Amino acid sequence: MYSQGLIGADSHTEETPEFLDAFQARIDAEEKIEPNDPMPDGYRRTLVRQIGQHAHSEIVGMLPEGNWITRAPTLKRKIALIAKVQDEGGHGLYLYSAAETLGVSREQMTEELLSGKAKYSSIFNYPTPTWADIGAIGWLVDGAAIMNQIPLCRCSFGPYARAMIRVCKEESFHQRQGYEIMMQLAHGSKAQKDMAQDALNRWWWPSLMMFGPHDADSEHGDQSMAWKIKRFSNDALRQKFIDATVPQAEFIGLTMPDPDLKWNEERSCYDHGPIDWDEFWRVVKGGGRMNRDRITARAKAWDDGAWVHEAALAHAEKRATRKVAAE
Ligand code: FAQ
């Protein structure tokens, strides 16, 4: 993916053992790597892949919740939901900008998404049939996203790390508004409580899948941790999320849909039942209920907005030409 045409990528850096050792020494010394610094090709490609996937997830992630903006039950809920969905759009833009500093254009990244080559988070391929889904997404999906993203604030690549600081502040508000929706439903009528429990039943396992495959099957995990792009493994973050979320469910009187979930005194964390990795890979490979709808919606938005891109680019080009002429 993005194997060709990296604008500005220094493909001539000779990756001698001395160069690789010096680069790793900078990483080990917790120095931030900046866009114009020499870096191994693999480091650049890993970041473009991960940041690109992350950006696509934020943008595609606007769709399941956007579905409820016109049907939010009160004006206050509607205001909060609009703000949240707009925040996700903003996160996508920071992330595309961070990826662009590595020499890949937004157009390239979008083409890869629309052609199915670039991935986005599996979680956004599930439908949102009830209002409780909006609570569950905020509580669980944003909750999982924060658990994954707080360590990314310390990522070795400067622009990604800096973008994550603001993203995490906003995700924290998203998580709270989602949990508050669930709390209100859980303390409401029987029908409302059932709706909340049903949403938890449908979103729990896909939320655990957000962290990616088990460590033993994580293709990029070890190298990404050595480069301090990732600070924790997929399983370590998943475990932290489970341990933080189970008491929250108990507090509002909801039950986790996992009969094997049990506190393990010895390990000081929860044991959980098996994750359905067949479902995960089916969804990642395009076979989820909403994959086709999501990509169709993104393609339409991209096509409908083409005239805006063209006008903005033409304006920027004209200004640049005028500036050169004036100098
Ligand atoms: N879905 O070797 P690993 C959000 C792929 S943002 C789809 O372990 P890695 C905010 C992976 O790409 C949610 N694909 O990979 C929000 C790789 O395939 P590749 C997104 C997945 O990169 C909330 C292959 O499996 N967050 O929710 C998934 O070391 C509410 C092997 O996996 C981020 O992107 C998955 N769940 O670790 C918005 C955070 N998991 O690329 C709206 C940044 C794995 O070789 C509403 N990303 N794959 O073809 C990361 O931390 C990492 O990329 C991981 C995966 C942890 C996702």
Side-chain angles (χ1 to χ4, degrees):
M1 195 186 304
Y2 310 118
S3 51
Q4 269 146 31
L6 289 181
I7 308 155
D10 184 6
S11 52
H12 301 299
T13 306
E14 211 188 316
E15 297 191 7
T16 58
E18 293 74 25
F19 167 75
L20 294 175
D21 286 350
F23 182 78
Q24 190 61 46
R26 289 191 64 193
I27 300 274
D28 294 342
E30 296 290 336
E31 274 181 45
K32 286 279 178 261
I33 307 299
E34 297 298 337
N36 291 331
D37 291 349
M39 60 182 85
D41 243 26
Y43 180 81
R44 183 189 300 275
R45 280 181 213 294
T46 299
L47 282 166
V48 170
R49 178 185 61 77
Q50 178 169 325
I51 304 174
Q53 175 188 315
H54 195 166
H56 298 322
S57 304
E58 299 281 357
I59 299 289
V60 176
M62 297 166 78
L63 297 168
E65 289 173 288
N67 176 36
W68 275 91
I69 289 175
T70 53
R71 293 176 287 154
T74 68
L75 183 59
K76 277 191 187 159
R77 293 290 188 209
K78 186 170 179 145
I79 292 167
L81 184 56
I82 290 174
K84 177 187 191 304
V85 172
Q86 280 179 337
D87 285 350
E88 308 298 1
H91 300 172
L93 299 188
Y94 312 146
L95 288 162
Y96 283 130
S97 300
E100 281 181 314
T101 67
L102 289 157
V104 64
S105 74
R106 195 171 305 188
E107 284 72 18
Q108 276 173 278
M109 287 185 273
T110 305
E111 274 161 25
E112 299 258 3
L113 170 72
L114 298 182
S115 70
K117 272 197 218 156
K119 294 188 169 73
Y120 61 93
S121 183
S122 50
I123 193 74
F124 301 116
N125 294 306
Y126 293 85
T128 45
T130 74
W131 171 249
D133 292 320
I134 301 308
I137 290 180
W139 173 33
L140 302 175
V141 177
D142 286 274
I146 297 171
M147 202 53 93
N148 170 282
Q149 287 170 184
I150 295 266
L152 289 176
C153 297
R154 292 189 294 118
C155 166
S156 58
F157 185 57
Y160 194 21
R162 290 189 287 273
M164 277 302 117
I165 293 171
R166 176 159 171 186
V167 170
C168 284
K169 286 187 180 153
E170 291 175 351
E171 301 290 28
S172 166
F173 144 70
H174 300 165
Q175 194 272 351
R176 277 154 188 261
Q177 68 85 41
Y179 187 57
E180 206 264 333
I181 291 174
M182 291 301 263
M183 188 184 296
Q184 205 171 8
L185 290 173
H187 293 158
S189 65
K190 170 153 189 339
Q192 285 172 319
K193 184 166 181 183
D194 289 349
M195 195 198 282
Q197 183 63 55
D198 173 61
L200 171 58
N201 294 348
R202 285 181 290 108
W203 288 93
W204 176 245
W205 292 104
S207 299
L208 299 189
M209 294 174 195
M210 282 176 74
F211 295 93
H214 281 314
D215 294 351
D217 302 316
S218 166
E219 191 187 330
H220 309 288
D222 289 345
Q223 181 60 73
S224 288
M225 283 202 288
W227 277 329
K228 300 192 178 180
I229 294 171
K230 286 163 77 162
R231 294 279 176 162
F232 295 98
S233 74
N234 298 355
D235 284 329
L237 289 172
R238 187 169 16 248
Q239 185 70 57
K240 274 172 182 266
F241 172 71
I242 294 170
D243 295 343
T245 312
V246 172
Q248 294 169 1
E250 282 168 2
F251 183 71
I252 57 176
L254 297 180
T255 309
M256 289 301 189
D258 179 357
D260 298 324
L261 193 71
K262 209 169 70 228
W263 180 254
N264 183 323
E265 277 299 341
E266 221 167 277
R267 295 198 308 129
S268 242
C269 62
Y270 283 93
D271 290 334
H272 62 85
I275 295 173
D276 183 348
W277 295 111
D278 290 343
E279 173 182 323
F280 171 75
W281 288 115
R282 188 168 44 75
V283 173
V284 168
K285 288 180 183 159
R289 267 186 67 185
M290 301 305 287
N291 293 64
R292 196 188 302 175
D293 287 45
R294 300 297 183 232
I295 291 298
T296 305
R298 278 305 298 134
K300 183 174 181 320
W302 186 250
D303 291 344
D304 289 353
W307 69 272
V308 181
H309 298 170
E310 279 160 24
L313 285 176
H315 179 67
E317 255 170 48
K318 210 167 170 186
R319 278 185 58 176
T321 318
R322 272 205 212 118
K323 204 171 157 222
V324 171
E327 278 166 6

